[in-house]
Amino acid sequence: MPRTCHPRFTVLICLSLVLSSAFASAATPPRGAYHLPNGDILALTTFDGALRFFMQNGRTGSLVNVNEGAFVGSEPGMGMAEPTHTLLATDTELTFNWEGKDHALTQIPLSEKDYQFNSGGQTLRGRLLAPSTGSYRGIVILVHGSENYSALDNNFLQYLLAANDLAVFVYDKRGTGGSQGKYTHDIPTLAADVVAAINFVDSLPEAQAQTILLAGFSQGGWVAPMAAVQSDKVRALLLGYGPAVSLYEEDRWGYAYWLQEEGYSAEDLAKADQLFALLKDMQTRGRPDRWKELKALIDQYKNERWYQEGLPGTDSSLAALTDTPVPLTLMYWWTSLFGLERFVDYDPASVLAQLDTPSYWLFAGEDASMPTEASIKNLKALSDSGLPMAYKVYPDTSHGIVKFEPGRGRERPFISYQPGYFDDMIRWLQEQATTADSLEN
């Protein structure tokens, strides 16, 4: 997983805005959902300060402002290194030139209401996005991954889901965007924020008699189930490339995947595991009591190929330690004085064993950040015991359910999201909302 997801509320601000197809500024097309003439849906939003488009079929690309109302972009992963897309905005229309053809974009009217709500003494910023007709199948609360940026400003799924007859509640996780608090990876704290969001949404007049669903991604695979177990208001939850294993196992997979993929021996992996176990023990205790042991092991292994070439660049805390340019002696003195950040090895087993809410897990077949096979093994055992859990694996995709160019080793140049992934997600959420409605009626 990339490091790169309380029941009292006070509504502080409620601002209502209905999007129209007229643009406030020709130079800046509004974020939102659009129909192409053939019925395909496209979302426009910012990401990392730039405009980006996301299509429901999985295609995505960048758009850079070159003149007032003119944007150009490309999809490098599709073999399109040169700009191949043009977006032209006027006061009244938006034209998208894609694959050599001009497509007039029709904005899908959506309503937005921005709020502030409270969780554990911190004020969090949220938004309810819904079809402007006021008619929708249910409300999906988006549960973050480990990202440290504003979900309101960057999350494109809010538009794709809202364009498919689902209301969406998205909020900036604590310490990001417009939300207070300290950014954290603490799973119980993040789950408490989700419960706060659930109760807040349930209190809204427009949410009465509406089904509440959760959709969690990456780290959200730990966070969303914990929140669902703590709340009786969640009808179902969808998990995208989220772990059903312990944090220890997930962190280990970051280097274990590549050592196995690149043909290193079982003995090499065992040595890496030895280092990793020692590092985690030090972090769990919060003090560098075993530093000399760790340094001795590093000195013993540092000239071996698996250490020099296999570990660097992997998505693991062990790689972060061995890759650091900081001299080990300096690290030793620093940790001796100030200690280590405590590591809490969260294991979702007890939470998942209580998860009687229907859940659907979508996995990447070649996930180098999260162990898909181990997660499926755990979920299958729980499903066999009678819990309502299902899963799907998309072969030849990486973390995020993304397609990549094969044969490029660790580079894995991004191509697109897996075609059908967004459709599968939307269809399942719609079905769960409809099922809940029929049960209530």
Side-chain angles (χ1 to χ4, degrees), residues 135-290:
S135 175
Y136 42 87
R137 304 194 191 194
I139 301 176
V140 181
I141 298 176
L142 297 179
V143 181
H144 316 80
S146 59
E147 65 270 11
N148 61 357
Y149 50 79
S150 166
L152 267 70
D153 295 338
N154 295 283
N155 191 304
F156 65 92
L157 280 176
Q158 59 186 307
Y159 300 113
L160 289 185
L161 296 179
N164 283 275
D165 298 324
L166 290 163
V168 182
F169 187 77
V170 59
Y171 67 95
D172 290 341
K173 68 192 298 186
R174 58 175 56 218
T176 71
S179 289
Q180 295 179 342
K182 181 181 179 181
Y183 172 77
T184 181
H185 292 290
D186 183 69
I187 305 303
T189 299
L190 296 173
D193 290 344
V194 178
V195 174
I198 293 168
N199 289 337
F200 175 74
V201 168
D202 188 59
S203 73
L204 296 174
E206 55 266 59
Q208 300 307 305
Q210 288 290 342
T211 305
I212 294 178
L213 311 164
L214 298 184
F217 303 89
S218 194
Q219 186 185 76
W222 284 317
V223 178
M226 180 178 286
V229 166
Q230 294 174 5
S231 173
D232 61 358
K233 299 179 175 68
V234 178
R235 169 66 184 95
L237 61 161
L238 179 139
L239 296 312
Y241 45 97
V245 298
S246 71
L247 200 158
Y248 185 101
E249 292 176 85
E250 183 268 347
D251 195 1
R252 175 188 177 273
W253 185 249
Y255 65 82
Y257 176 88
W258 285 112
L259 289 182
Q260 295 175 89
E261 185 77 6
E262 294 172 349
Y264 290 94
S265 68
E267 182 182 0
D268 292 335
L269 181 56
K271 292 176 181 178
D273 286 342
Q274 186 183 10
L275 270 176
F276 182 66
L278 184 51
L279 173 64
K280 287 307 175 190
D281 181 64
M282 292 168 62
Q283 288 182 302
T284 301
R285 287 162 41 167
R287 297 292 299 176
D289 305 277
R290 302 181 68 185

Side-chain angles (χ1 to χ4, degrees), residues 107-435:
Q107 190 168 13
I108 300 171
L110 303 173
S111 67
E112 291 186 13
K113 293 183 180 180
D114 286 358
Y115 298 94
Q116 291 180 337
F117 65 99
N118 182 273
S119 178
Q122 302 297 330
T123 299
L124 307 183
R125 179 179 70 150
R127 171 184 298 153
L128 182 66
L129 191 69
S132 61
T133 60
S135 175
Y136 42 87
R137 304 194 191 194
I139 301 176
V140 181
I141 298 176
L142 297 179
V143 181
H144 316 80
S146 59
E147 65 270 11
N148 61 357
Y149 50 79
S150 166
L152 267 70
D153 295 338
N154 295 283
N155 191 304
F156 65 92
L157 280 176
Q158 59 186 307
Y159 300 113
L160 289 185
L161 296 179
N164 283 275
D165 298 324
L166 290 163
V168 182
F169 187 77
V170 59
Y171 67 95
D172 290 341
K173 68 192 298 186
R174 58 175 56 218
T176 71
S179 289
Q180 295 179 342
K182 181 181 179 181
Y183 172 77
T184 181
H185 292 290
D186 183 69
I187 305 303
T189 299
L190 296 173
D193 290 344
V194 178
V195 174
I198 293 168
N199 289 337
F200 175 74
V201 168
D202 188 59
S203 73
L204 296 174
E206 55 266 59
Q208 300 307 305
Q210 288 290 342
T211 305
I212 294 178
L213 311 164
L214 298 184
F217 303 89
S218 194
Q219 186 185 76
W222 284 317
V223 178
M226 180 178 286
V229 166
Q230 294 174 5
S231 173
D232 61 358
K233 299 179 175 68
V234 178
R235 169 66 184 95
L237 61 161
L238 179 139
L239 296 312
Y241 45 97
V245 298
S246 71
L247 200 158
Y248 185 101
E249 292 176 85
E250 183 268 347
D251 195 1
R252 175 188 177 273
W253 185 249
Y255 65 82
Y257 176 88
W258 285 112
L259 289 182
Q260 295 175 89
E261 185 77 6
E262 294 172 349
Y264 290 94
S265 68
E267 182 182 0
D268 292 335
L269 181 56
K271 292 176 181 178
D273 286 342
Q274 186 183 10
L275 270 176
F276 182 66
L278 184 51
L279 173 64
K280 287 307 175 190
D281 181 64
M282 292 168 62
Q283 288 182 302
T284 301
R285 287 162 41 167
R287 297 292 299 176
D289 305 277
R290 302 181 68 185
W291 183 268
K292 291 183 180 178
E293 293 178 60
L294 182 67
K295 189 176 184 306
L297 275 180
I298 290 175
D299 288 341
Q300 180 180 342
Y301 298 143
K302 66 182 180 182
N303 293 321
E304 298 189 21
R305 191 171 71 88
W306 67 267
Y307 185 98
Q308 293 186 343
E309 301 177 15
L311 282 184
T314 62
D315 187 12
S316 67
S317 59
L318 181 57
L321 171 72
T322 56
D323 280 354
T324 179
V326 179
L328 290 177
T329 302
L330 180 60
M331 291 180 64
Y332 167 73
W333 286 110
W334 177 267
T335 54
S336 295
L337 289 171
F338 301 105
L340 291 169
E341 181 180 355
R342 286 191 72 86
F343 168 87
V344 179
D345 182 19
Y346 174 69
D347 189 335
S350 62
V351 168
L352 294 178
Q354 303 172 62
L355 188 63
D356 55 5
T357 304
S359 61
Y360 188 36
W361 301 69
L362 305 177
F363 290 111
E366 293 296 330
D367 198 326
S369 295
M370 192 283 297
T372 291
E373 187 175 341
S375 291
I376 289 175
K377 180 181 178 181
N378 292 340
L379 292 175
K380 189 175 185 305
L382 292 168
S383 176
D384 290 345
S385 72
L387 291 177
M389 296 175 174
Y391 65 86
K392 179 174 182 175
V393 180
Y394 299 89
D396 303 320
T397 63
S398 190
H399 198 69
I401 319 296
V402 298
K403 294 179 65 65
F404 56 91
E405 289 184 28
R408 299 282 294 274
R410 296 186 187 183
E411 288 185 35
R412 291 192 163 180
F414 174 87
I415 295 178
S416 69
Y417 290 92
Q418 171 67 36
Y421 163 54
F422 295 136
D423 289 332
D424 290 342
M425 178 193 311
I426 291 165
R427 186 182 307 112
W428 190 83
L429 290 169
Q430 289 176 336
E431 289 172 353
Q432 292 302 310
T434 302
T435 300

Side-chain angles (χ1 to χ4, degrees), residues 5-73:
C5 114
H6 296 39
R8 296 195 305 273
F9 307 91
T10 303
V11 181
L12 302 179
I13 295 177
C14 175
L15 174 64
S16 178
L17 170 67
V18 178
L19 298 179
S20 68
S21 59
F23 305 148
S25 169
T28 308
R31 291 174 297 189
Y34 296 84
H35 270 132
L36 275 70
N38 65 359
D40 285 348
I41 294 176
L42 174 148
L44 281 179
T45 188
T46 53
F47 186 80
D48 238 0
L51 190 66
R52 193 173 183 92
F53 72 86
F54 298 85
M55 299 186 69
Q56 192 167 315
N57 62 18
R59 299 283 288 272
T60 180
S62 61
L63 291 163
V64 179
N65 192 194
V66 291
N67 287 304
E68 183 175 358
F71 297 77
V72 297

